[in-house]
Amino acid sequence: MGLFDKKYCDICGEKIGLLGNRKLEDGNLCKDCARKLSPFFSERRNSTVEDIKRQLAYRAENEKKLAGFTPSMTFDGSKKVYIDPIGERFIVTGASNWRSSNPDLIAFSQVLGVDTDIRENKEEIFYEDSEGNEKSYVPPRYACDYEFNVTIRVDSPWFDEIELELSDGNRPDSPYTDLYRQYEQRMHELADILMRRDNRNRVWDGGGTMNRVDNTGIRQERPASAPTAMGGETWVCPSCGAQSSGKFCANCGTAKPVVSSGCTNCGWRPSAGQGMPKFCPECGRPLQ
């Protein structure tokens, strides 16, 4: 076949216009059918016609399931994360009208891990001397901003990860600002929810098991503290809320939090009888 011979889509059979062909491993795909694929799918060139047909069947079923998706939580960023914590499902999309864009509906059980990363972007600041030459300050000065990136690793036949930046468009310029701490908290909150470490929409059944419930009008209960065999000091697990006495939570396995005696950055220590704050009052460094 020549370079300019007519080509037809192996999915819908329609003629493919000039510059409209999307090559497959063993065929051709028109741009209209390509638009129906998952936005996180990147292996089109290595996919066969049958692979694409299977994915389009999945996408059609996904669109039907979205009709019953009712998110109650949203995380903003370079892409928005809409979450239904009761149904344990979520979507990630950059579309303003997500229902019309058919975003992939993902179950919490498909999440293999959530990687969080705070990236410092640093650029040196220069000044001009009397002769117009660019000079470095002594010591060097820098302009910084901080990215709060999240990578969601998922078990799906069509893609294996989703990347987004929570701080997109409004990055903090210092780790000692409220904005920095807010992004850090939101980043870990998102990870906890998707990894099912967040218990705000669950209650204890009395036997050590968490059950999903509608949080409307329901108060979350913590499990009763179990008697300690060693008679040690009890502590409340920050992950599940259970009381334990050993080095690890007896319910979920989370390590006992290390109690800080003061700030390792500037040396500040609380006075006698004073509780330990979350952040150092002198330099702003997290203490807990």
Side-chain angles (χ1 to χ4, degrees), residues 50-81:
E50 287 304 311
D51 291 335
I52 298 301
K53 287 182 178 179
R54 284 196 297 271
Q55 183 178 162
L56 291 178
Y58 146 74
R59 294 284 289 160
E61 187 65 25
N62 184 83
E63 190 170 20
K64 294 178 182 178
K65 292 180 180 179
L66 278 174
F69 177 61
T70 54
S72 60
M73 303 179 68
T74 305
F75 287 77
D76 293 327
S78 57
K79 302 179 186 73
K80 285 192 174 183
V81 185

mmCIF file of all heavy atoms in Angstrom, residues 50-81:
data_model
loop_
_atom_site.group_PDB
_atom_site.id
_atom_site.type_symbol
_atom_site.label_atom_id
_atom_site.label_comp_id
_atom_site.label_asym_id
_atom_site.label_seq_id
_atom_site.Cartn_x
_atom_site.Cartn_y
_atom_site.Cartn_z
ATOM 1 N N GLU A 50 -7.805 -6.197 18.619
ATOM 2 C CA GLU A 50 -8.613 -6.868 19.642
ATOM 3 C C GLU A 50 -8.429 -6.221 21.015
ATOM 4 O O GLU A 50 -9.376 -6.131 21.800
ATOM 5 C CB GLU A 50 -8.272 -8.356 19.694
ATOM 6 C CG GLU A 50 -8.789 -9.155 18.512
ATOM 7 C CD GLU A 50 -10.304 -9.000 18.334
ATOM 8 O OE1 GLU A 50 -11.031 -9.152 19.339
ATOM 9 O OE2 GLU A 50 -10.741 -8.739 17.212
ATOM 10 N N ASP A 51 -7.211 -5.776 21.320
ATOM 11 C CA ASP A 51 -6.964 -5.076 22.584
ATOM 12 C C ASP A 51 -7.835 -3.824 22.678
ATOM 13 O O ASP A 51 -8.439 -3.546 23.726
ATOM 14 C CB ASP A 51 -5.491 -4.674 22.706
ATOM 15 C CG ASP A 51 -4.561 -5.857 22.890
ATOM 16 O OD1 ASP A 51 -5.026 -6.898 23.380
ATOM 17 O OD2 ASP A 51 -3.371 -5.722 22.539
ATOM 18 N N ILE A 52 -7.876 -3.074 21.584
ATOM 19 C CA ILE A 52 -8.651 -1.834 21.571
ATOM 20 C C ILE A 52 -10.141 -2.122 21.672
ATOM 21 O O ILE A 52 -10.873 -1.411 22.388
ATOM 22 C CB ILE A 52 -8.344 -1.020 20.296
ATOM 23 C CG1 ILE A 52 -6.866 -0.616 20.272
ATOM 24 C CG2 ILE A 52 -9.230 0.218 20.216
ATOM 25 C CD1 ILE A 52 -6.420 0.216 21.453
ATOM 26 N N LYS A 53 -10.605 -3.163 21.016
ATOM 27 C CA LYS A 53 -12.033 -3.520 21.105
ATOM 28 C C LYS A 53 -12.408 -3.882 22.542
ATOM 29 O O LYS A 53 -13.486 -3.502 23.026
ATOM 30 C CB LYS A 53 -12.339 -4.681 20.164
ATOM 31 C CG LYS A 53 -12.360 -4.292 18.698
ATOM 32 C CD LYS A 53 -12.710 -5.487 17.817
ATOM 33 C CE LYS A 53 -12.790 -5.088 16.349
ATOM 34 N NZ LYS A 53 -13.119 -6.257 15.477
ATOM 35 N N ARG A 54 -11.507 -4.607 23.231
ATOM 36 C CA ARG A 54 -11.794 -4.963 24.624
ATOM 37 C C ARG A 54 -11.819 -3.729 25.521
ATOM 38 O O ARG A 54 -12.666 -3.625 26.412
ATOM 39 C CB ARG A 54 -10.738 -5.959 25.131
ATOM 40 C CG ARG A 54 -10.926 -7.372 24.632
ATOM 41 C CD ARG A 54 -10.112 -8.357 25.461
ATOM 42 N NE ARG A 54 -8.692 -8.100 25.339
ATOM 43 C CZ ARG A 54 -7.914 -8.640 24.414
ATOM 44 N NH1 ARG A 54 -8.434 -9.468 23.518
ATOM 45 N NH2 ARG A 54 -6.619 -8.368 24.369
ATOM 46 N N GLN A 55 -10.897 -2.801 25.263
ATOM 47 C CA GLN A 55 -10.904 -1.601 26.093
ATOM 48 C C GLN A 55 -12.150 -0.749 25.840
ATOM 49 O O GLN A 55 -12.722 -0.194 26.784
ATOM 50 C CB GLN A 55 -9.657 -0.738 25.863
ATOM 51 C CG GLN A 55 -9.656 0.474 26.805
ATOM 52 C CD GLN A 55 -8.440 1.370 26.688
ATOM 53 O OE1 GLN A 55 -8.458 2.509 27.133
ATOM 54 N NE2 GLN A 55 -7.375 0.866 26.106
ATOM 55 N N LEU A 56 -12.568 -0.639 24.606
ATOM 56 C CA LEU A 56 -13.765 0.154 24.299
ATOM 57 C C LEU A 56 -15.014 -0.483 24.911
ATOM 58 O O LEU A 56 -15.937 0.235 25.315
ATOM 59 C CB LEU A 56 -13.919 0.322 22.791
ATOM 60 C CG LEU A 56 -12.855 1.212 22.123
ATOM 61 C CD1 LEU A 56 -13.066 1.264 20.620
ATOM 62 C CD2 LEU A 56 -12.884 2.619 22.712
ATOM 63 N N ALA A 57 -15.038 -1.808 25.010
ATOM 64 C CA ALA A 57 -16.157 -2.478 25.691
ATOM 65 C C ALA A 57 -16.132 -2.145 27.178
ATOM 66 O O ALA A 57 -17.183 -1.882 27.798
ATOM 67 C CB ALA A 57 -16.075 -3.983 25.473
ATOM 68 N N TYR A 58 -14.927 -2.144 27.760
ATOM 69 C CA TYR A 58 -14.775 -1.739 29.173
ATOM 70 C C TYR A 58 -15.205 -0.289 29.370
ATOM 71 O O TYR A 58 -15.879 0.044 30.356
ATOM 72 C CB TYR A 58 -13.326 -1.928 29.601
ATOM 73 C CG TYR A 58 -12.815 -0.908 30.597
ATOM 74 C CD1 TYR A 58 -13.196 -0.941 31.945
ATOM 75 C CD2 TYR A 58 -11.960 0.116 30.178
ATOM 76 C CE1 TYR A 58 -12.731 0.016 32.842
ATOM 77 C CE2 TYR A 58 -11.493 1.066 31.074
ATOM 78 C CZ TYR A 58 -11.878 1.016 32.403
ATOM 79 O OH TYR A 58 -11.427 1.965 33.283
ATOM 80 N N ARG A 59 -14.841 0.591 28.439
ATOM 81 C CA ARG A 59 -15.183 2.007 28.565
ATOM 82 C C ARG A 59 -16.697 2.221 28.463
ATOM 83 O O ARG A 59 -17.246 3.100 29.149
ATOM 84 C CB ARG A 59 -14.460 2.807 27.485
ATOM 85 C CG ARG A 59 -12.947 2.822 27.627
ATOM 86 C CD ARG A 59 -12.499 3.744 28.720
ATOM 87 N NE ARG A 59 -12.704 5.129 28.340
ATOM 88 C CZ ARG A 59 -12.761 6.129 29.193
ATOM 89 N NH1 ARG A 59 -12.647 5.904 30.493
ATOM 90 N NH2 ARG A 59 -12.940 7.367 28.772
ATOM 91 N N ALA A 60 -17.364 1.439 27.637
ATOM 92 C CA ALA A 60 -18.821 1.547 27.537
ATOM 93 C C ALA A 60 -19.478 1.110 28.838
ATOM 94 O O ALA A 60 -20.442 1.732 29.315
ATOM 95 C CB ALA A 60 -19.321 0.702 26.373
ATOM 96 N N GLU A 61 -18.951 0.052 29.456
ATOM 97 C CA GLU A 61 -19.486 -0.414 30.741
ATOM 98 C C GLU A 61 -19.170 0.597 31.840
ATOM 99 O O GLU A 61 -19.988 0.829 32.740
ATOM 100 C CB GLU A 61 -18.876 -1.767 31.080
ATOM 101 C CG GLU A 61 -19.488 -2.434 32.302
ATOM 102 C CD GLU A 61 -20.943 -2.796 32.118
ATOM 103 O OE1 GLU A 61 -21.373 -2.978 30.961
ATOM 104 O OE2 GLU A 61 -21.653 -2.894 33.134
ATOM 105 N N ASN A 62 -17.998 1.212 31.757
ATOM 106 C CA ASN A 62 -17.601 2.235 32.732
ATOM 107 C C ASN A 62 -18.566 3.413 32.703
ATOM 108 O O ASN A 62 -18.942 3.954 33.749
ATOM 109 C CB ASN A 62 -16.180 2.713 32.416
ATOM 110 C CG ASN A 62 -15.649 3.716 33.428
ATOM 111 O OD1 ASN A 62 -15.149 3.360 34.487
ATOM 112 N ND2 ASN A 62 -15.749 5.003 33.101
ATOM 113 N N GLU A 63 -18.991 3.797 31.512
ATOM 114 C CA GLU A 63 -19.920 4.924 31.377
ATOM 115 C C GLU A 63 -21.257 4.624 32.047
ATOM 116 O O GLU A 63 -21.879 5.499 32.660
ATOM 117 C CB GLU A 63 -20.122 5.248 29.898
ATOM 118 C CG GLU A 63 -20.869 6.533 29.641
ATOM 119 C CD GLU A 63 -20.838 6.946 28.185
ATOM 120 O OE1 GLU A 63 -20.578 6.085 27.322
ATOM 121 O OE2 GLU A 63 -21.071 8.133 27.887
ATOM 122 N N LYS A 64 -21.697 3.381 31.978
ATOM 123 C CA LYS A 64 -22.945 2.989 32.637
ATOM 124 C C LYS A 64 -22.791 3.061 34.158
ATOM 125 O O LYS A 64 -23.689 3.522 34.865
ATOM 126 C CB LYS A 64 -23.341 1.577 32.228
ATOM 127 C CG LYS A 64 -23.698 1.419 30.758
ATOM 128 C CD LYS A 64 -24.019 -0.030 30.438
ATOM 129 C CE LYS A 64 -24.328 -0.231 28.959
ATOM 130 N NZ LYS A 64 -24.587 -1.666 28.640
ATOM 131 N N LYS A 65 -21.649 2.599 34.677
ATOM 132 C CA LYS A 65 -21.422 2.609 36.122
ATOM 133 C C LYS A 65 -21.337 4.025 36.679
ATOM 134 O O LYS A 65 -21.695 4.270 37.838
ATOM 135 C CB LYS A 65 -20.141 1.844 36.450
ATOM 136 C CG LYS A 65 -20.229 0.349 36.190
ATOM 137 C CD LYS A 65 -18.927 -0.349 36.528
ATOM 138 C CE LYS A 65 -19.011 -1.850 36.277
ATOM 139 N NZ LYS A 65 -17.736 -2.524 36.575
ATOM 140 N N LEU A 66 -20.859 4.966 35.864
ATOM 141 C CA LEU A 66 -20.745 6.352 36.323
ATOM 142 C C LEU A 66 -22.089 6.966 36.669
ATOM 143 O O LEU A 66 -22.155 7.921 37.456
ATOM 144 C CB LEU A 66 -20.056 7.211 35.254
ATOM 145 C CG LEU A 66 -18.525 7.162 35.200
ATOM 146 C CD1 LEU A 66 -18.025 7.955 34.007
ATOM 147 C CD2 LEU A 66 -17.920 7.704 36.486
ATOM 148 N N ALA A 67 -23.167 6.439 36.090
ATOM 149 C CA ALA A 67 -24.502 6.978 36.368
ATOM 150 C C ALA A 67 -24.854 6.845 37.845
ATOM 151 O O ALA A 67 -25.607 7.659 38.394
ATOM 152 C CB ALA A 67 -25.538 6.270 35.504
ATOM 153 N N GLY A 68 -24.289 5.836 38.514
ATOM 154 C CA GLY A 68 -24.569 5.643 39.936
ATOM 155 C C GLY A 68 -23.478 6.151 40.852
ATOM 156 O O GLY A 68 -23.507 5.884 42.060
ATOM 157 N N PHE A 69 -22.521 6.883 40.304
ATOM 158 C CA PHE A 69 -21.405 7.392 41.096
ATOM 159 C C PHE A 69 -21.775 8.749 41.685
ATOM 160 O O PHE A 69 -22.092 9.700 40.968
ATOM 161 C CB PHE A 69 -20.162 7.527 40.203
ATOM 162 C CG PHE A 69 -18.956 8.104 40.899
ATOM 163 C CD1 PHE A 69 -18.386 7.480 41.993
ATOM 164 C CD2 PHE A 69 -18.384 9.290 40.445
ATOM 165 C CE1 PHE A 69 -17.271 8.005 42.622
ATOM 166 C CE2 PHE A 69 -17.267 9.824 41.057
ATOM 167 C CZ PHE A 69 -16.711 9.186 42.151
ATOM 168 N N THR A 70 -21.740 8.863 43.016
ATOM 169 C CA THR A 70 -22.118 10.107 43.708
ATOM 170 C C THR A 70 -20.999 10.514 44.659
ATOM 171 O O THR A 70 -21.024 10.163 45.837
ATOM 172 C CB THR A 70 -23.436 9.926 44.473
ATOM 173 O OG1 THR A 70 -23.319 8.782 45.346
ATOM 174 C CG2 THR A 70 -24.601 9.714 43.530
ATOM 175 N N PRO A 71 -20.002 11.249 44.169
ATOM 176 C CA PRO A 71 -18.880 11.640 45.029
ATOM 177 C C PRO A 71 -19.293 12.675 46.066
ATOM 178 O O PRO A 71 -20.140 13.538 45.806
ATOM 179 C CB PRO A 71 -17.879 12.229 44.031
ATOM 180 C CG PRO A 71 -18.716 12.720 42.898
ATOM 181 C CD PRO A 71 -19.851 11.761 42.792
ATOM 182 N N SER A 72 -18.686 12.588 47.245
ATOM 183 C CA SER A 72 -18.963 13.551 48.309
ATOM 184 C C SER A 72 -17.698 14.286 48.751
ATOM 185 O O SER A 72 -17.757 15.148 49.612
ATOM 186 C CB SER A 72 -19.588 12.842 49.515
ATOM 187 O OG SER A 72 -18.713 11.841 50.025
ATOM 188 N N MET A 73 -16.548 13.928 48.164
ATOM 189 C CA MET A 73 -15.283 14.575 48.502
ATOM 190 C C MET A 73 -14.549 14.920 47.215
ATOM 191 O O MET A 73 -14.614 14.184 46.232
ATOM 192 C CB MET A 73 -14.400 13.656 49.352
ATOM 193 C CG MET A 73 -15.041 13.187 50.636
ATOM 194 S SD MET A 73 -13.926 12.072 51.553
ATOM 195 C CE MET A 73 -12.639 13.233 52.027
ATOM 196 N N THR A 74 -13.833 16.067 47.237
ATOM 197 C CA THR A 74 -13.073 16.501 46.069
ATOM 198 C C THR A 74 -11.708 17.012 46.505
ATOM 199 O O THR A 74 -11.595 17.752 47.476
ATOM 200 C CB THR A 74 -13.805 17.627 45.300
ATOM 201 O OG1 THR A 74 -15.121 17.194 44.966
ATOM 202 C CG2 THR A 74 -13.051 17.989 44.029
ATOM 203 N N PHE A 75 -10.675 16.603 45.780
ATOM 204 C CA PHE A 75 -9.326 17.118 45.969
ATOM 205 C C PHE A 75 -8.920 17.841 44.691
ATOM 206 O O PHE A 75 -8.909 17.238 43.617
ATOM 207 C CB PHE A 75 -8.340 15.984 46.274
ATOM 208 C CG PHE A 75 -8.470 15.403 47.646
ATOM 209 C CD1 PHE A 75 -9.499 14.524 47.948
ATOM 210 C CD2 PHE A 75 -7.565 15.734 48.649
ATOM 211 C CE1 PHE A 75 -9.629 13.982 49.219
ATOM 212 C CE2 PHE A 75 -7.685 15.197 49.930
ATOM 213 C CZ PHE A 75 -8.719 14.317 50.210
ATOM 214 N N ASP A 76 -8.610 19.137 44.814
ATOM 215 C CA ASP A 76 -8.231 19.930 43.651
ATOM 216 C C ASP A 76 -6.749 19.778 43.350
ATOM 217 O O ASP A 76 -5.946 19.423 44.212
ATOM 218 C CB ASP A 76 -8.562 21.403 43.880
ATOM 219 C CG ASP A 76 -10.055 21.652 43.953
ATOM 220 O OD1 ASP A 76 -10.795 20.936 43.269
ATOM 221 O OD2 ASP A 76 -10.478 22.561 44.691
ATOM 222 N N GLY A 77 -6.377 20.089 42.108
ATOM 223 C CA GLY A 77 -4.983 20.039 41.698
ATOM 224 C C GLY A 77 -4.884 20.111 40.194
ATOM 225 O O GLY A 77 -5.783 20.615 39.524
ATOM 226 N N SER A 78 -3.779 19.618 39.648
ATOM 227 C CA SER A 78 -3.634 19.587 38.192
ATOM 228 C C SER A 78 -4.736 18.736 37.566
ATOM 229 O O SER A 78 -5.142 18.967 36.422
ATOM 230 C CB SER A 78 -2.261 19.037 37.810
ATOM 231 O OG SER A 78 -2.059 17.746 38.371
ATOM 232 N N LYS A 79 -5.193 17.735 38.304
ATOM 233 C CA LYS A 79 -6.402 16.979 37.981
ATOM 234 C C LYS A 79 -7.219 16.912 39.262
ATOM 235 O O LYS A 79 -6.673 16.955 40.354
ATOM 236 C CB LYS A 79 -6.077 15.557 37.502
ATOM 237 C CG LYS A 79 -5.174 15.484 36.292
ATOM 238 C CD LYS A 79 -4.904 14.033 35.922
ATOM 239 C CE LYS A 79 -3.894 13.922 34.800
ATOM 240 N NZ LYS A 79 -2.530 14.244 35.246
ATOM 241 N N LYS A 80 -8.527 16.823 39.143
ATOM 242 C CA LYS A 80 -9.380 16.723 40.315
ATOM 243 C C LYS A 80 -9.647 15.257 40.646
ATOM 244 O O LYS A 80 -9.822 14.425 39.759
ATOM 245 C CB LYS A 80 -10.705 17.453 40.089
ATOM 246 C CG LYS A 80 -10.595 18.964 40.163
ATOM 247 C CD LYS A 80 -11.965 19.613 40.231
ATOM 248 C CE LYS A 80 -11.867 21.121 40.445
ATOM 249 N NZ LYS A 80 -13.194 21.749 40.589
ATOM 250 N N VAL A 81 -9.666 14.972 41.948
ATOM 251 C CA VAL A 81 -9.999 13.638 42.426
ATOM 252 C C VAL A 81 -11.361 13.716 43.094
ATOM 253 O O VAL A 81 -11.533 14.437 44.080
ATOM 254 C CB VAL A 81 -8.942 13.115 43.421
ATOM 255 C CG1 VAL A 81 -9.264 11.667 43.811
ATOM 256 C CG2 VAL A 81 -7.538 13.209 42.833
#
